[in-house]
Amino acid sequence: MSPIDVNPNERMLILHQNIVNLVKQLNMPLVEVSLVIAKFIKILNEKLIHIAEQNNEVLPKKYTEAWPLDHVKKDSDTISSMDLEKIIEIIDDDRMDILDTLVRTSINKEEIPLSDSLLVLRSWEKLVRTQLASSSSPGQLFSTVEIPEGY
């Protein structure tokens, strides 16, 4: 079955499931998943905005802006005091490269439209941002992403 024969929603589900499976398999830390997701959102968002501008169109906010978080406890003092350089030193570039490759190849292999890919990644962004916002110590940034049942 070629990607053209697959329903667009099924393609989005394939991308989502591939990310879920890899994140679970590698026990990926929150900070690493969030960095990869942010990278792809930036790339896809810029491409879609460029295409929209060429066609004199405006993208809906669900594509261009991060989705609002639900009831998150904020502890800005603790978050702002974290040593970002130390956090960056600890991340596993190889693990992030694997997720990066999986996202890129899933989008390309399944021929998922940019807009659909961006929506999948926006849902992941909301998940990881919610968990990041609840983090109160650097150790929590390196805890495995909590994937809700049925996500």
Side-chain angles (χ1 to χ4, degrees):
M1 181 179 277
S2 75
I4 304 217
D5 299 331
V6 178
N7 175 320
N9 290 333
E10 290 176 16
R11 288 187 227 162
M12 291 170 67
L13 183 61
I14 290 169
L15 173 60
H16 176 74
Q17 280 305 121
N18 286 346
I19 297 170
V20 167
N21 292 337
L22 186 69
V23 167
K24 284 182 176 179
Q25 180 182 1
L26 297 180
N27 294 316
M28 289 196 70
L30 179 58
V31 67
E32 293 175 7
V33 174
S34 65
L35 289 170
V36 174
I37 296 298
K39 171 190 168 185
F40 275 98
I41 285 177
K42 182 179 186 310
I43 292 168
L44 294 173
N45 197 35
E46 287 174 356
K47 286 182 181 180
L48 281 173
I49 289 171
H50 179 72
I51 292 168
E53 288 172 351
Q54 286 181 322
N55 293 295
N56 295 320
E57 297 178 357
V58 177
L59 291 171
K61 288 184 179 183
K62 71 179 182 179
Y63 295 103
T64 61
E65 296 179 9
W67 297 353
L69 302 182
D70 306 318
H71 312 293
V72 176
K73 176 192 93 168
K74 294 184 180 179
D75 190 355
S76 58
D77 293 336
T78 307
I79 297 293
S80 63
S81 67
M82 291 184 191
D83 184 357
L84 295 179
E85 288 182 27
K86 181 70 172 168
I87 292 169
I88 296 299
E89 288 175 11
I90 299 172
I91 62 172
D92 184 334
D93 291 328
D94 292 337
R95 197 168 35 213
M96 288 176 53
D97 285 344
I98 293 169
L99 179 59
D100 183 286
T101 300
L102 175 113
V103 172
R104 186 173 17 85
T105 57
S106 294
I107 291 170
N108 292 333
K109 181 180 175 204
E110 298 300 326
E111 298 178 9
I112 304 170
L114 297 177
S115 58
D116 291 345
S117 300
L118 184 56
L119 288 179
V120 171
L121 295 173
R122 285 282 183 204
S123 71
W124 273 91
E125 176 189 44
K126 181 177 179 177
L127 176 72
V128 296
R129 282 181 56 235
T130 299
Q131 293 176 30
L132 285 170
S134 298
S135 298
S136 59
S137 70
Q140 288 178 322
L141 299 178
F142 288 92
S143 61
T144 304
V145 174
E146 295 175 20
I147 301 174
E149 191 68 34
Y151 186 73

